[in-house]
Amino acid sequence: MKIIVQKYGGTSVENIEKIKKVAKKVIAKKEEGFQMVVVVSAMGKTTDALIDLSKEISSNPSKRDLDMLLSTGEQVSISLLSMAFQEYGYESISLTGFQAGIKTKGPYNKNKISDIDINKIKDNLEKGKIVVVAGFQGINEEGDITTLGRGGSDTTAVALSAKLNSLCCIYTDVEGIYSVDPRIYKDAKKLASISYEEMMEMASLGAGVMETRAVEIGCKYKVPIYVASSSKDIGGTYIKERDKSMEEKVITGLSISSDILMVTVNNLVFNSDNIATLFEKVAKENINVDMISQTSPMDEKVNVSFTTSKDELNALNKVMKEIKDENNEIEVVIEENISKISVVGIGMMNQSGVTAQVFRILADNNIEFKQVTTSEISISYTVASSDREKAVQILAKELNL
Amino acid sequence: MKIIVQKYGGTSVENIEKIKKVAKKVIAKKEEGFQMVVVVSAMGKTTDALIDLSKEISSNPSKRDLDMLLSTGEQVSISLLSMAFQEYGYESISLTGFQAGIKTKGPYNKNKISDIDINKIKDNLEKGKIVVVAGFQGINEEGDITTLGRGGSDTTAVALSAKLNSLCCIYTDVEGIYSVDPRIYKDAKKLASISYEEMMEMASLGAGVMETRAVEIGCKYKVPIYVASSSKDIGGTYIKERDKSMEEKVITGLSISSDILMVTVNNLVFNSDNIATLFEKVAKENINVDMISQTSPMDEKVNVSFTTSKDELNALNKVMKEIKDENNEIEVVIEENISKISVVGIGMMNQSGVTAQVFRILADNNIEFKQVTTSEISISYTVASSDREKAVQILAKELNL
């Protein structure tokens, strides 16, 4: 019998009424003859509320305890959803991350799935039960409850699909993947399909629909992923291996990220050891660095800039204090109102001129960018957040997205 | 180094401010040189709120899922309390029931602790950490998260103390054990000490301070238990092995239980098999039966009455429907407004006349009782709840409690 993994995010299970709707949607699919695994996130804003609660105790709470705290959110949803199935006359079993065999490693709050022991899930599917799995969480080698970071429920769903050889359906509050975030550009087009590579770029560049890591796992294990609305019954977007039709299109989408910080370290004595040390210190605090740029040396000194997520502000301040304490000539500037705009498309690999075209559009419209980075299939610019709106409208229009 | 286990109930950790107070209280004891284990319940009314949530899905939710749901309550408290310790500069570790090695068996929602693997707790105590354990929960042989029923956090604390050879301090919203519930009889006296046996009788007869099972474990493993106020710094009550001084007192206390149902099954054909079958059916639904009485057979038929907790109403209705379906001559009456009043005292073992004295007091004051049961150290009466207040006032006064 074929297995389907469905994942429902926090908005889709934010209250009892919605949980019941999810149950009915899953049951409809089961009635078509599929074995069903359902991955759920915490109800609505539960995770944020729990984080707020922890902040009342400490501005920088223990990360192990934070994982312990946050993981309760999904445990509540799985038990309620499982109750709903039983209320409708279907057998089900709710499983926390550790019960579902999800083993993780890495730093707390940002663990990665290292393996899944799929036996318990398979046994229960064989018994005809709907299996309800807590997203976002697992257990590490020390037996600690861990979480996978924001968007971690997607990762759980895709990783389970990989192990179960199944389709992975991500039901969410958007209707699929758009060329541009429709909240920002209202004429954005919904894509019928997108390649893993493009989606990874889009995700890592800020398109809020799916976490990069989840798509990465999908790509690695060739898991077909379907992203669609949890409330409306209309077609969504398939994320799959790239095919010819996709390559004809030069640019697939525009991705916008507003939650970023730009850090500039001025007057750093120029030698590679110095710069390596800087980033080692940053890495030690588990801060993910995104774009890096460096000025040419002048008087044997350089300025190094990098971007990171706003969430890292606490950790970042700590590292920067250390660095300044060691060398008081160094000056650190942290800019908070920075946005990143990225143009993504597999077609860019085989077609030159896109970079030039984008530079031209920005220049003609007096939009100043602070940093540029490029990959095989994307170009990213950081701009002042005040220029974001304008830049998106113009780029989306000019590139026909 | 000496270990102390402290347990704080839901009221003591109902908000962040109170959690911080608990942390300080534990730290003060640690500073005296003790290794500290802290058992906590869910914050305030969390457990009730979770039960209400489940009722929105089903009037009779799956018990396995209910355990899954309820256990999140303590998981939230342990993580927050552990964060508080770290905020105050003390190393700590939060452990769920399964992480703390608490193995259970039995029916969901009413599991019993079968064993505790104490190694993880011991290791962490040796490392100087304060160990914070989720009360009320454990894990069964199938790897399901289980709960120990109401008051289960006391059981966790006493069972841990038994394994760790430690004093067990139960901090609660009352100041100790009273001869009579002070909310009902304002002149009640606080006891400096009480024997395990008396406390078990008091607890099982409805004195809300501690669960019978917790005291039972304390008695079995000779764990010294100290019950005191979590907010006020005044002396509490020791529960310990009985000594001479206790035996001098004939009656130690009065225990009142209002949450009971009385079920009467009329027109049951009198043979022992019939009656055994009745109670087998009741037992199959995990309904705890308390007092049982039976009329003399008349026309080969008898009436059987028994009392049970109000919580069992759902399960009870189910069993009674079955019984009536099998024999439509049978009539079932469920009375909901019943209270039980019990007189408890170790001294009663060696002194006759207490029963007569109590009957006389009730008769002189026109208080009708429905059932009477006696044990070596207690006498219990069920009365209409409307008579409860009057009966308690008169008995407490006449017996000088």
mmCIF file of all heavy atoms in Angstrom, chain A residues 84-109:
data_model
loop_
_atom_site.group_PDB
_atom_site.id
_atom_site.type_symbol
_atom_site.label_atom_id
_atom_site.label_comp_id
_atom_site.label_asym_id
_atom_site.label_seq_id
_atom_site.Cartn_x
_atom_site.Cartn_y
_atom_site.Cartn_z
ATOM 1 N N ALA A 84 -8.817 13.423 17.595
ATOM 2 C CA ALA A 84 -9.808 13.745 16.564
ATOM 3 C C ALA A 84 -10.029 12.545 15.641
ATOM 4 O O ALA A 84 -11.167 12.193 15.331
ATOM 5 C CB ALA A 84 -9.371 14.972 15.768
ATOM 6 N N PHE A 85 -8.933 11.884 15.235
ATOM 7 C CA PHE A 85 -9.084 10.704 14.371
ATOM 8 C C PHE A 85 -9.947 9.653 15.062
ATOM 9 O O PHE A 85 -10.838 9.057 14.454
ATOM 10 C CB PHE A 85 -7.715 10.099 14.025
ATOM 11 C CG PHE A 85 -6.932 10.925 13.045
ATOM 12 C CD1 PHE A 85 -5.627 11.320 13.317
ATOM 13 C CD2 PHE A 85 -7.495 11.321 11.835
ATOM 14 C CE1 PHE A 85 -4.895 12.094 12.408
ATOM 15 C CE2 PHE A 85 -6.784 12.093 10.929
ATOM 16 C CZ PHE A 85 -5.484 12.488 11.221
ATOM 17 N N GLN A 86 -9.667 9.429 16.317
ATOM 18 C CA GLN A 86 -10.406 8.399 17.043
ATOM 19 C C GLN A 86 -11.872 8.782 17.220
ATOM 20 O O GLN A 86 -12.757 7.934 17.159
ATOM 21 C CB GLN A 86 -9.695 8.103 18.358
ATOM 22 C CG GLN A 86 -8.362 7.415 18.067
ATOM 23 C CD GLN A 86 -7.447 7.328 19.264
ATOM 24 O OE1 GLN A 86 -7.855 6.926 20.342
ATOM 25 N NE2 GLN A 86 -6.202 7.712 19.076
ATOM 26 N N GLU A 87 -12.094 10.083 17.416
ATOM 27 C CA GLU A 87 -13.469 10.561 17.534
ATOM 28 C C GLU A 87 -14.240 10.275 16.240
ATOM 29 O O GLU A 87 -15.431 10.003 16.274
ATOM 30 C CB GLU A 87 -13.458 12.060 17.850
ATOM 31 C CG GLU A 87 -14.820 12.682 18.109
ATOM 32 C CD GLU A 87 -15.502 12.171 19.386
ATOM 33 O OE1 GLU A 87 -14.855 11.470 20.180
ATOM 34 O OE2 GLU A 87 -16.697 12.464 19.549
ATOM 35 N N TYR A 88 -13.549 10.332 15.099
ATOM 36 C CA TYR A 88 -14.187 10.059 13.813
ATOM 37 C C TYR A 88 -14.169 8.563 13.460
ATOM 38 O O TYR A 88 -14.483 8.186 12.331
ATOM 39 C CB TYR A 88 -13.517 10.872 12.692
ATOM 40 C CG TYR A 88 -13.735 12.365 12.822
ATOM 41 C CD1 TYR A 88 -12.696 13.269 12.614
ATOM 42 C CD2 TYR A 88 -14.996 12.883 13.147
ATOM 43 C CE1 TYR A 88 -12.902 14.641 12.734
ATOM 44 C CE2 TYR A 88 -15.205 14.250 13.274
ATOM 45 C CZ TYR A 88 -14.160 15.115 13.074
ATOM 46 O OH TYR A 88 -14.370 16.464 13.195
ATOM 47 N N GLY A 89 -13.709 7.742 14.394
ATOM 48 C CA GLY A 89 -13.774 6.303 14.190
ATOM 49 C C GLY A 89 -12.563 5.693 13.497
ATOM 50 O O GLY A 89 -12.634 4.562 13.005
ATOM 51 N N TYR A 90 -11.453 6.392 13.473
ATOM 52 C CA TYR A 90 -10.238 5.856 12.840
ATOM 53 C C TYR A 90 -9.180 5.586 13.901
ATOM 54 O O TYR A 90 -9.008 6.374 14.819
ATOM 55 C CB TYR A 90 -9.701 6.839 11.792
ATOM 56 C CG TYR A 90 -10.591 6.892 10.579
ATOM 57 C CD1 TYR A 90 -11.776 7.626 10.595
ATOM 58 C CD2 TYR A 90 -10.283 6.157 9.436
ATOM 59 C CE1 TYR A 90 -12.631 7.639 9.502
ATOM 60 C CE2 TYR A 90 -11.125 6.166 8.342
ATOM 61 C CZ TYR A 90 -12.298 6.910 8.373
ATOM 62 O OH TYR A 90 -13.134 6.907 7.294
ATOM 63 N N GLU A 91 -8.481 4.487 13.757
ATOM 64 C CA GLU A 91 -7.416 4.190 14.700
ATOM 65 C C GLU A 91 -6.197 5.051 14.394
ATOM 66 O O GLU A 91 -5.846 5.255 13.229
ATOM 67 C CB GLU A 91 -7.033 2.719 14.612
ATOM 68 C CG GLU A 91 -7.964 1.827 15.409
ATOM 69 C CD GLU A 91 -7.314 0.480 15.652
ATOM 70 O OE1 GLU A 91 -7.386 -0.365 14.735
ATOM 71 O OE2 GLU A 91 -6.716 0.289 16.720
ATOM 72 N N SER A 92 -5.564 5.538 15.447
ATOM 73 C CA SER A 92 -4.396 6.390 15.226
ATOM 74 C C SER A 92 -3.446 6.255 16.399
ATOM 75 O O SER A 92 -3.810 5.741 17.453
ATOM 76 C CB SER A 92 -4.839 7.842 15.096
ATOM 77 O OG SER A 92 -5.374 8.286 16.323
ATOM 78 N N ILE A 93 -2.220 6.721 16.191
ATOM 79 C CA ILE A 93 -1.251 6.764 17.290
ATOM 80 C C ILE A 93 -0.452 8.051 17.165
ATOM 81 O O ILE A 93 -0.037 8.435 16.073
ATOM 82 C CB ILE A 93 -0.327 5.517 17.292
ATOM 83 C CG1 ILE A 93 0.622 5.562 18.505
ATOM 84 C CG2 ILE A 93 0.470 5.399 15.989
ATOM 85 C CD1 ILE A 93 1.336 4.248 18.791
ATOM 86 N N SER A 94 -0.305 8.754 18.281
ATOM 87 C CA SER A 94 0.509 9.968 18.289
ATOM 88 C C SER A 94 1.910 9.609 18.760
ATOM 89 O O SER A 94 2.082 8.828 19.687
ATOM 90 C CB SER A 94 -0.115 11.019 19.204
ATOM 91 O OG SER A 94 -0.243 10.532 20.524
ATOM 92 N N LEU A 95 2.908 10.154 18.081
ATOM 93 C CA LEU A 95 4.304 9.863 18.435
ATOM 94 C C LEU A 95 5.099 11.161 18.549
ATOM 95 O O LEU A 95 5.099 11.980 17.631
ATOM 96 C CB LEU A 95 4.952 8.967 17.372
ATOM 97 C CG LEU A 95 4.335 7.589 17.118
ATOM 98 C CD1 LEU A 95 5.030 6.906 15.935
ATOM 99 C CD2 LEU A 95 4.421 6.700 18.351
ATOM 100 N N THR A 96 5.775 11.336 19.672
ATOM 101 C CA THR A 96 6.713 12.458 19.787
ATOM 102 C C THR A 96 7.911 12.168 18.874
ATOM 103 O O THR A 96 8.024 11.068 18.326
ATOM 104 C CB THR A 96 7.253 12.597 21.223
ATOM 105 O OG1 THR A 96 7.981 11.414 21.523
ATOM 106 C CG2 THR A 96 6.141 12.781 22.238
ATOM 107 N N GLY A 97 8.806 13.126 18.761
ATOM 108 C CA GLY A 97 9.995 12.907 17.938
ATOM 109 C C GLY A 97 10.752 11.663 18.349
ATOM 110 O O GLY A 97 11.093 10.815 17.516
ATOM 111 N N PHE A 98 10.996 11.522 19.640
ATOM 112 C CA PHE A 98 11.813 10.376 20.057
ATOM 113 C C PHE A 98 11.067 9.064 19.860
ATOM 114 O O PHE A 98 11.653 8.059 19.477
ATOM 115 C CB PHE A 98 12.338 10.554 21.495
ATOM 116 C CG PHE A 98 11.404 10.170 22.600
ATOM 117 C CD1 PHE A 98 11.304 8.852 23.040
ATOM 118 C CD2 PHE A 98 10.616 11.126 23.226
ATOM 119 C CE1 PHE A 98 10.437 8.503 24.071
ATOM 120 C CE2 PHE A 98 9.750 10.784 24.255
ATOM 121 C CZ PHE A 98 9.663 9.469 24.679
ATOM 122 N N GLN A 99 9.751 9.083 20.059
ATOM 123 C CA GLN A 99 8.981 7.850 19.859
ATOM 124 C C GLN A 99 8.940 7.467 18.381
ATOM 125 O O GLN A 99 8.884 6.288 18.046
ATOM 126 C CB GLN A 99 7.555 8.036 20.397
ATOM 127 C CG GLN A 99 7.505 8.127 21.915
ATOM 128 C CD GLN A 99 6.113 8.451 22.433
ATOM 129 O OE1 GLN A 99 5.334 9.135 21.781
ATOM 130 N NE2 GLN A 99 5.799 7.976 23.618
ATOM 131 N N ALA A 100 8.973 8.474 17.510
ATOM 132 C CA ALA A 100 8.963 8.215 16.064
ATOM 133 C C ALA A 100 10.348 7.810 15.567
ATOM 134 O O ALA A 100 10.542 7.582 14.375
ATOM 135 C CB ALA A 100 8.472 9.449 15.317
ATOM 136 N N GLY A 101 11.312 7.731 16.469
ATOM 137 C CA GLY A 101 12.647 7.265 16.105
ATOM 138 C C GLY A 101 13.523 8.323 15.452
ATOM 139 O O GLY A 101 14.499 7.992 14.768
ATOM 140 N N ILE A 102 13.195 9.600 15.672
ATOM 141 C CA ILE A 102 13.948 10.674 15.011
ATOM 142 C C ILE A 102 15.167 11.058 15.847
ATOM 143 O O ILE A 102 15.049 11.673 16.908
ATOM 144 C CB ILE A 102 13.034 11.883 14.733
ATOM 145 C CG1 ILE A 102 11.948 11.451 13.745
ATOM 146 C CG2 ILE A 102 13.836 13.069 14.180
ATOM 147 C CD1 ILE A 102 10.813 12.414 13.573
ATOM 148 N N LYS A 103 16.319 10.646 15.361
ATOM 149 C CA LYS A 103 17.573 10.887 16.082
ATOM 150 C C LYS A 103 18.260 12.114 15.492
ATOM 151 O O LYS A 103 18.298 12.274 14.273
ATOM 152 C CB LYS A 103 18.480 9.661 15.961
ATOM 153 C CG LYS A 103 17.805 8.425 16.547
ATOM 154 C CD LYS A 103 18.662 7.198 16.433
ATOM 155 C CE LYS A 103 17.819 5.934 16.560
ATOM 156 N NZ LYS A 103 16.921 5.920 17.742
ATOM 157 N N THR A 104 18.780 12.954 16.373
ATOM 158 C CA THR A 104 19.362 14.208 15.894
ATOM 159 C C THR A 104 20.740 14.425 16.489
ATOM 160 O O THR A 104 21.128 13.783 17.446
ATOM 161 C CB THR A 104 18.484 15.410 16.303
ATOM 162 O OG1 THR A 104 18.562 15.585 17.719
ATOM 163 C CG2 THR A 104 17.036 15.213 15.903
ATOM 164 N N LYS A 105 21.473 15.348 15.876
ATOM 165 C CA LYS A 105 22.709 15.827 16.514
ATOM 166 C C LYS A 105 22.984 17.272 16.143
ATOM 167 O O LYS A 105 22.335 17.828 15.265
ATOM 168 C CB LYS A 105 23.888 14.919 16.187
ATOM 169 C CG LYS A 105 24.201 14.757 14.741
ATOM 170 C CD LYS A 105 25.364 13.754 14.615
ATOM 171 C CE LYS A 105 25.565 13.355 13.168
ATOM 172 N NZ LYS A 105 26.495 12.214 13.044
ATOM 173 N N GLY A 106 23.933 17.857 16.863
ATOM 174 C CA GLY A 106 24.247 19.249 16.593
ATOM 175 C C GLY A 106 23.924 20.121 17.789
ATOM 176 O O GLY A 106 23.648 19.611 18.871
ATOM 177 N N PRO A 107 23.995 21.441 17.594
ATOM 178 C CA PRO A 107 23.704 22.353 18.714
ATOM 179 C C PRO A 107 22.199 22.396 19.013
ATOM 180 O O PRO A 107 21.388 22.306 18.097
ATOM 181 C CB PRO A 107 24.196 23.707 18.213
ATOM 182 C CG PRO A 107 24.286 23.597 16.729
ATOM 183 C CD PRO A 107 24.420 22.157 16.373
ATOM 184 N N TYR A 108 21.868 22.534 20.295
ATOM 185 C CA TYR A 108 20.466 22.676 20.696
ATOM 186 C C TYR A 108 19.818 23.809 19.915
ATOM 187 O O TYR A 108 20.483 24.760 19.521
ATOM 188 C CB TYR A 108 20.360 22.991 22.190
ATOM 189 C CG TYR A 108 20.848 21.886 23.078
ATOM 190 C CD1 TYR A 108 21.977 22.063 23.872
ATOM 191 C CD2 TYR A 108 20.198 20.657 23.137
ATOM 192 C CE1 TYR A 108 22.440 21.051 24.708
ATOM 193 C CE2 TYR A 108 20.654 19.645 23.957
ATOM 194 C CZ TYR A 108 21.771 19.846 24.738
ATOM 195 O OH TYR A 108 22.227 18.842 25.553
ATOM 196 N N ASN A 109 18.519 23.699 19.709
ATOM 197 C CA ASN A 109 17.706 24.692 18.972
ATOM 198 C C ASN A 109 17.941 24.634 17.469
ATOM 199 O O ASN A 109 17.206 25.247 16.698
ATOM 200 C CB ASN A 109 17.933 26.153 19.428
ATOM 201 C CG ASN A 109 17.819 26.377 20.924
ATOM 202 O OD1 ASN A 109 18.202 27.402 21.424
ATOM 203 N ND2 ASN A 109 17.288 25.410 21.657
#
